[in-house]
Amino acid sequence: AQSVAQPEDQVNVAEGNPLTVKCTYSVSGNPYLFWYVQYPNRGLQFLLKYITGDNLVKGSYGFEAEFNKSQTSFHLKKPSALVSDSALYFCAVRDRGGKLIFGQGTELSVKP
Amino acid sequence: SQTIHQWPATLVQPVGSPLSLECTVEGTSNPNLYWYRQAAGRGLQLLFYSVGIGQISSEVPQNLSASRPQDRQFILSSKKLLLSDSGFYLCAWSVFTGPSPLHFGNGTRLTVT
């Protein structure tokens, strides 16, 4: 069965520092991987996806993610964090039926 | 462009009362539609998904049901709410083909008292 894991419940970063939010996956076949962000009491916003091709995927708001097949990881990154990046981040994998399977989420806190 | 509307934004209902949450999508045809529930501000649980009118798949047995009376309308219902039905309900859509992302509505915060 397809699954994703986000090993960190919370990540704390100082504004201006690089940030990484970790995600590992378990799939059979080629993975379709996604990152979403959720602000309080709002729906999820799509950030980026990996389907195939270049292992470094660029997305919205300056975020990017690195796909690593050997480590089965898809970590979200940003070179310089903003206070406004503070939110809940979800990694997800799409299964063959088109459903998204989400990780448990990582709370990102960026302090000024 | 495509948009998704979900209402109401918040709802407080007593135990045993019925529920109807509505979701509509504009700007696309024959979308896949999904209902997710988010409990305790974290984990997302897929409740139902639909690939066409009248076609509903349930992921978990529960007190809820879903219907798709029109191509771009998805309704989540309950005949009698339980306390455990409280949560944040999210509707989403995706195009029918390909590994496309899901696009979410703004959610409904349901509190059962």
Side-chain angles (χ1 to χ4, degrees), chain B residues 47-106:
Chain B
L47 301 176
F48 302 95
Y49 69 98
S50 171
V51 299
I53 295 174
Q55 299 179 63
I56 309 294
S57 297
S58 174
E59 288 295 293
V60 291
Q62 58 206 320
N63 186 42
L64 302 168
S65 62
S67 62
R68 184 171 177 173
Q70 300 180 45
D71 182 43
R72 290 168 289 175
Q73 184 184 28
F74 206 23
I75 297 172
L76 184 69
S77 304
S78 173
K79 292 182 179 178
K80 287 186 178 181
L81 284 169
L82 307 172
L83 286 174
S84 58
D85 291 325
S86 293
F88 193 48
Y89 289 83
L90 291 159
C91 181
W93 73 272
S94 71
V95 298
F96 183 69
T97 58
S100 55
L102 271 61
H103 302 279
F104 286 81
N106 282 328

Side-chain angles (χ1 to χ4, degrees), chain A residues 9 36 38 41 94 98 100, chain B residues 34 36 38 42 100 102 109:
Chain A
D9 281 344
Y36 285 82
Q38 184 181 30
N41 294 310
R94 186 157 179 167
L100 272 188
Chain B
Y34 308 81
Y36 281 84
Q38 186 176 31
R42 273 298 175 103
S100 55
L102 271 61
R109 173 75 59 192

Side-chain angles (χ1 to χ4, degrees), chain A residues 4-54:
Chain A
V4 291
Q6 295 179 242
E8 303 157 315
D9 281 344
Q10 182 153 7
V11 170
N12 298 307
V13 177
E15 187 176 30
N17 284 1
L19 70 86
T20 299
V21 183
K22 295 180 180 177
C23 172
T24 59
Y25 65 89
S26 174
V27 302
S28 54
N30 294 323
Y32 299 145
L33 297 162
F34 303 82
W35 274 103
Y36 285 82
V37 60
Q38 184 181 30
Y39 296 97
N41 294 310
R42 300 300 298 271
L44 277 69
Q45 295 179 34
F46 168 68
L47 283 178
L48 51 82
K49 67 179 179 182
Y50 173 83
I51 305 302
T52 187
D54 196 348

